[in-house]
Amino acid sequence: MSPAAARKKAGAAQGAIPLLEAVPFACAAYADDGVLVSANRRFNDEFAALPEHRRRDTLLALLRDGALDDEAEPAEVRAPHSGRWYALHWGQAEHDGRPLALLTAIDISERIEALDSHKSQQEKLLFTSRMMSVGEMAATLAHEINQPLAAIVNYLNGSLRLVDQAGGPAQVERALQAARTQAEHAAAVISRVREFVRAREPRRDAQDMHAMAATVLELLRLEAERQQLRIDVALSDALPEVYADRVMVEQVLLNLVKNAIEAMRGTPVAKRELRVEGRVNLDDEVEIRVCDRGTGLSSAEQDQLFSPFFTTKNDGLGIGLAICRSIIEYHKGRLFFEPREGGGSVFGFTLPRYEQGR
Ligand SMILES: Nc1ncnc2c1ncn2[C@@H]1O[C@H](COP(=O)(O)OP(=O)(O)O)[C@@H](O)[C@H]1O
Ligand SMILES: [Mg+2]
């Protein structure tokens, strides 16, 4: 049967209410028992394809499934067959001495879509500004520190030459050499920071977590030995490749493992335990967890954890986690903290699998 013929039949059977045609929105009247009595042309065009429209309760049950907010008045719902959004209003009326419930469905798709795009714009902006502030801050800091460091190295070199020419005391010469080594080390660290910050276009690709973890652990091997702790790597063998920028993710892992090592400074040697775990989580993402037996975090600390400059360390900068979060969010993943069972912390992140992220 053609829609027009169906309309005619329905109208004839139920006693059409011509007045409904005057309503400029989709409009339908339901009797006391919930059965459709009449609908205007617009309603039929937009809802007649749903068999549920013939009863008030079945139509509502169907539409409420796609409701934005159950409690909202008027209900804003998404029609599953057309994907369009409607604001539903109910009113009471009477016709031929019978009470009727009058439904109007106003198409609000344009407004909802505009809202959606506004929201994602906002999120993008927030992300960019976070990334920028952390990056700019690190760049400024690196620049500021670089100048005095270069000067210090020059002065030390000059002093060493003088001591050498004058045949000065050997202890002074050794002290100057040690100072120069430290200053050069600091300069190398700073230049790595600048390298990292220098708005390098991220390059995402298929990456193997095992390889990235190996690189990071190699960098931290000495530090771990010094603290007499072993780092256990428990990545599942079948861990799929992630879609990620290798250097960036290594940076994240490095930060988290370093924090874990630092958190265990006060932990008795026998209890020091650092595990890097990796698995596919229930959302089918790759999830990496860095688990320590350190100090853990108070709830006040947890609240500030990711704000730039938050640190509880004398020598801390407090930008490690803020940078980690920007990087992970850039990869459409999540950085999270949870207390570790039995004491300590778990810092983890998720990354999309290669096939999904692409
Ligand atoms: N594994 C951890 N255990 C306990 N506290 C941690 C851990 N990781 C980070 N934190 C807390 O979060 C703060 C911020 O960390 P981060 O941003 O890396 O900066 P920083 O290491 O320079 O202090 C740390 O000072 C510490 O208080
Ligand atoms: Mg840190």
PDB file of all heavy atoms in Angstrom, residues 255-256 258-259 262 313 316-321, ligand 2:
ATOM      1  N   ASN A 255      58.379   9.102  31.705  1.00  0.00           N
ATOM      2  CA  ASN A 255      57.908   9.946  32.810  1.00  0.00           C
ATOM      3  C   ASN A 255      57.246   9.119  33.905  1.00  0.00           C
ATOM      4  O   ASN A 255      57.483   9.333  35.086  1.00  0.00           O
ATOM      5  CB  ASN A 255      56.891  10.966  32.303  1.00  0.00           C
ATOM      6  CG  ASN A 255      57.560  12.240  31.846  1.00  0.00           C
ATOM      7  OD1 ASN A 255      58.361  12.801  32.558  1.00  0.00           O
ATOM      8  ND2 ASN A 255      57.229  12.682  30.649  1.00  0.00           N
ATOM      9  N   LEU A 256      56.394   8.189  33.490  1.00  0.00           N
ATOM     10  CA  LEU A 256      55.641   7.414  34.487  1.00  0.00           C
ATOM     11  C   LEU A 256      56.579   6.502  35.270  1.00  0.00           C
ATOM     12  O   LEU A 256      56.469   6.382  36.497  1.00  0.00           O
ATOM     13  CB  LEU A 256      54.533   6.604  33.807  1.00  0.00           C
ATOM     14  CG  LEU A 256      53.451   7.417  33.104  1.00  0.00           C
ATOM     15  CD1 LEU A 256      52.340   6.508  32.589  1.00  0.00           C
ATOM     16  CD2 LEU A 256      52.855   8.481  34.027  1.00  0.00           C
ATOM     17  N   LYS A 258      59.799   6.896  35.712  1.00  0.00           N
ATOM     18  CA  LYS A 258      60.650   7.752  36.550  1.00  0.00           C
ATOM     19  C   LYS A 258      59.916   8.175  37.825  1.00  0.00           C
ATOM     20  O   LYS A 258      60.457   8.101  38.927  1.00  0.00           O
ATOM     21  CB  LYS A 258      61.031   9.010  35.776  1.00  0.00           C
ATOM     22  CG  LYS A 258      62.491   9.096  35.422  1.00  0.00           C
ATOM     23  CD  LYS A 258      62.729  10.314  34.565  1.00  0.00           C
ATOM     24  CE  LYS A 258      63.581  11.330  35.298  1.00  0.00           C
ATOM     25  NZ  LYS A 258      64.991  11.018  35.361  1.00  0.00           N
ATOM     26  N   ASN A 259      58.668   8.605  37.671  1.00  0.00           N
ATOM     27  CA  ASN A 259      57.863   8.976  38.838  1.00  0.00           C
ATOM     28  C   ASN A 259      57.736   7.795  39.794  1.00  0.00           C
ATOM     29  O   ASN A 259      57.808   7.964  41.011  1.00  0.00           O
ATOM     30  CB  ASN A 259      56.458   9.423  38.413  1.00  0.00           C
ATOM     31  CG  ASN A 259      56.421  10.872  37.962  1.00  0.00           C
ATOM     32  OD1 ASN A 259      57.372  11.616  38.187  1.00  0.00           O
ATOM     33  ND2 ASN A 259      55.338  11.255  37.319  1.00  0.00           N
ATOM     34  N   GLU A 262      60.925   7.362  41.656  1.00  0.00           N
ATOM     35  CA  GLU A 262      61.082   8.428  42.638  1.00  0.00           C
ATOM     36  C   GLU A 262      60.142   8.247  43.827  1.00  0.00           C
ATOM     37  O   GLU A 262      60.481   8.596  44.955  1.00  0.00           O
ATOM     38  CB  GLU A 262      60.859   9.788  41.962  1.00  0.00           C
ATOM     39  CG  GLU A 262      62.034  10.185  41.073  1.00  0.00           C
ATOM     40  CD  GLU A 262      61.700  11.282  40.061  1.00  0.00           C
ATOM     41  OE1 GLU A 262      60.554  11.797  40.087  1.00  0.00           O
ATOM     42  OE2 GLU A 262      62.562  11.605  39.239  1.00  0.00           O
ATOM     43  N   LYS A 313      57.902  17.307  45.072  1.00  0.00           N
ATOM     44  CA  LYS A 313      59.331  17.020  45.180  1.00  0.00           C
ATOM     45  C   LYS A 313      60.132  18.312  45.256  1.00  0.00           C
ATOM     46  O   LYS A 313      59.790  19.289  44.580  1.00  0.00           O
ATOM     47  CB  LYS A 313      59.802  16.219  43.952  1.00  0.00           C
ATOM     48  CG  LYS A 313      59.102  14.891  43.838  1.00  0.00           C
ATOM     49  CD  LYS A 313      59.336  14.256  42.493  1.00  0.00           C
ATOM     50  CE  LYS A 313      58.330  13.124  42.294  1.00  0.00           C
ATOM     51  NZ  LYS A 313      58.249  12.698  40.900  1.00  0.00           N
ATOM     52  N   GLY A 316      61.402  18.792  41.877  1.00  0.00           N
ATOM     53  CA  GLY A 316      60.433  18.506  40.809  1.00  0.00           C
ATOM     54  C   GLY A 316      60.044  19.747  40.028  1.00  0.00           C
ATOM     55  O   GLY A 316      60.084  20.864  40.532  1.00  0.00           O
ATOM     56  N   LEU A 317      59.659  19.531  38.766  1.00  0.00           N
ATOM     57  CA  LEU A 317      59.137  20.628  37.947  1.00  0.00           C
ATOM     58  C   LEU A 317      57.616  20.603  37.920  1.00  0.00           C
ATOM     59  O   LEU A 317      56.970  21.623  37.727  1.00  0.00           O
ATOM     60  CB  LEU A 317      59.639  20.495  36.506  1.00  0.00           C
ATOM     61  CG  LEU A 317      61.022  21.025  36.175  1.00  0.00           C
ATOM     62  CD1 LEU A 317      61.312  20.804  34.701  1.00  0.00           C
ATOM     63  CD2 LEU A 317      61.100  22.508  36.504  1.00  0.00           C
ATOM     64  N   GLY A 318      57.075  19.412  38.072  1.00  0.00           N
ATOM     65  CA  GLY A 318      55.617  19.299  38.076  1.00  0.00           C
ATOM     66  C   GLY A 318      54.980  19.458  36.719  1.00  0.00           C
ATOM     67  O   GLY A 318      53.815  19.821  36.611  1.00  0.00           O
ATOM     68  N   ILE A 319      55.726  19.171  35.662  1.00  0.00           N
ATOM     69  CA  ILE A 319      55.080  19.250  34.343  1.00  0.00           C
ATOM     70  C   ILE A 319      55.033  17.892  33.653  1.00  0.00           C
ATOM     71  O   ILE A 319      54.426  17.753  32.595  1.00  0.00           O
ATOM     72  CB  ILE A 319      55.769  20.265  33.401  1.00  0.00           C
ATOM     73  CG1 ILE A 319      57.243  19.963  33.304  1.00  0.00           C
ATOM     74  CG2 ILE A 319      55.537  21.687  33.860  1.00  0.00           C
ATOM     75  CD1 ILE A 319      57.913  20.727  32.191  1.00  0.00           C
ATOM     76  N   GLY A 320      55.650  16.878  34.290  1.00  0.00           N
ATOM     77  CA  GLY A 320      55.718  15.553  33.655  1.00  0.00           C
ATOM     78  C   GLY A 320      54.338  15.004  33.323  1.00  0.00           C
ATOM     79  O   GLY A 320      54.053  14.660  32.168  1.00  0.00           O
ATOM     80  N   LEU A 321      53.473  14.970  34.310  1.00  0.00           N
ATOM     81  CA  LEU A 321      52.160  14.356  34.096  1.00  0.00           C
ATOM     82  C   LEU A 321      51.286  15.208  33.179  1.00  0.00           C
ATOM     83  O   LEU A 321      50.487  14.680  32.417  1.00  0.00           O
ATOM     84  CB  LEU A 321      51.461  14.133  35.435  1.00  0.00           C
ATOM     85  CG  LEU A 321      52.053  12.994  36.279  1.00  0.00           C
ATOM     86  CD1 LEU A 321      51.353  12.922  37.630  1.00  0.00           C
ATOM     87  CD2 LEU A 321      51.929  11.667  35.549  1.00  0.00           C
TER      88      LEU A 321
HETATM   89 MG    MG B   2      57.865  13.483  37.111  1.00  0.00          MG
END
